[in-house]
Amino acid sequence: MAHGPSRSAACGIFPDRGTNPCPLHRQADSQPLRHQGGPVGACIVNAENKIVGIGYNGMPNGCSDDLLPWRRTAESILDTKYPYVCHAELNAIMNKNSADVKGCTMYVALFPCNECAKLIIQAGIKEVIFMSDKYHDSNETRAARLMLEMAGVSFRKFTPKCSQIVIDFDSINSRPSQKLQ
């Protein structure tokens, strides 16, 4: 199956899916862009800032991305992504590479919804650092904030120092003009 370039490939951050193992950027040519607001990911780090879990929004294991819908709106909710997609937070917790994530910090693209807030609390994560809170006034996000506050899970917005990161893969293959001494 052929895959087109992701939005990140166009801005030079990641190569095309054909050479990129990162599932955050998968896009089948036959489907509309799945992550219309940008890919959603989560990363859990321990006290030493070592990654202990990562996740992204995606279908459950064994459920094909190509057979289930990725639309946001339709006549029936069953024809949208919402009843099927596992959020990045869930996947990061389930994909952990340690015994538990108690006391860890979770970095997320979007402020967690109420369902993910429950998982974060139950997993014992102590802090959530998010990039965007674009659904701040939704009932789900308001409920999430309330539960996180009640459970003593701190949260804060991450403000990057720059708006983009560009990795120059060509520089890896070029030889320096002057040898190091």
Side-chain angles (χ1 to χ4, degrees):
M1 176 185 312
H3 298 283
S6 68
R7 284 186 182 173
S8 294
C11 66
I13 297 174
F14 294 100
D16 290 350
R17 173 66 179 163
T19 58
N20 180 13
C22 179
L24 282 174
H25 303 284
R26 182 165 183 255
Q27 174 189 348
D29 290 333
S30 62
Q31 293 276 340
L33 183 60
R34 292 189 170 116
H35 305 290
Q36 293 172 346
V40 179
C43 180
I44 303 171
V45 298
N46 64 16
E48 291 99 34
N49 277 331
K50 293 190 174 156
I51 296 171
V52 297
I54 59 170
Y56 59 92
N57 279 8
M59 297 301 174
N61 291 336
C63 298
S64 173
D65 283 355
D66 298 322
L67 299 178
L68 291 172
W70 282 91
R71 290 181 288 283
R72 290 176 180 253
T73 59
E75 281 188 38
S76 168
I77 192 164
L78 295 177
D79 293 325
T80 70
K81 64 182 180 175
Y82 299 109
Y84 310 108
V85 170
C86 294
H87 284 179
E89 298 90 337
L90 166 68
N91 282 323
I93 292 167
M94 295 301 295
N95 294 330
K96 69 185 184 295
N97 63 6
S98 62
D100 64 39
V101 292
K102 192 172 198 145
C104 290
T105 297
M106 179 180 278
Y107 289 85
V108 292
L110 295 175
F111 192 91
C113 71
N114 60 309
E115 294 300 320
C116 290
K118 294 176 203 176
L119 292 166
I120 289 165
I121 293 164
Q122 293 299 87
I125 290 170
K126 68 172 176 68
E127 182 179 27
V128 174
I129 301 172
F130 60 93
M131 286 281 296
S132 172
D133 193 10
K134 67 181 177 180
Y135 302 112
H136 182 272
D137 294 325
S138 73
N139 289 332
E140 292 81 5
T141 304
R142 290 168 58 196
R145 277 194 306 277
L146 176 63
M147 288 187 288
L148 292 171
E149 287 170 352
M150 290 176 76
V153 178
S154 64
F155 51 89
R156 63 184 167 93
K157 182 173 174 55
F158 173 75
T159 305
K161 294 178 183 170
C162 59
S163 63
Q164 65 178 349
I165 298 172
V166 177
I167 300 172
D168 182 0
F169 291 103
D170 291 331
S171 68
I172 294 170
N173 292 320
S174 65
R175 293 182 180 218
S177 58
Q178 186 178 15
K179 289 185 179 180
L180 295 176
Q181 301 202 23

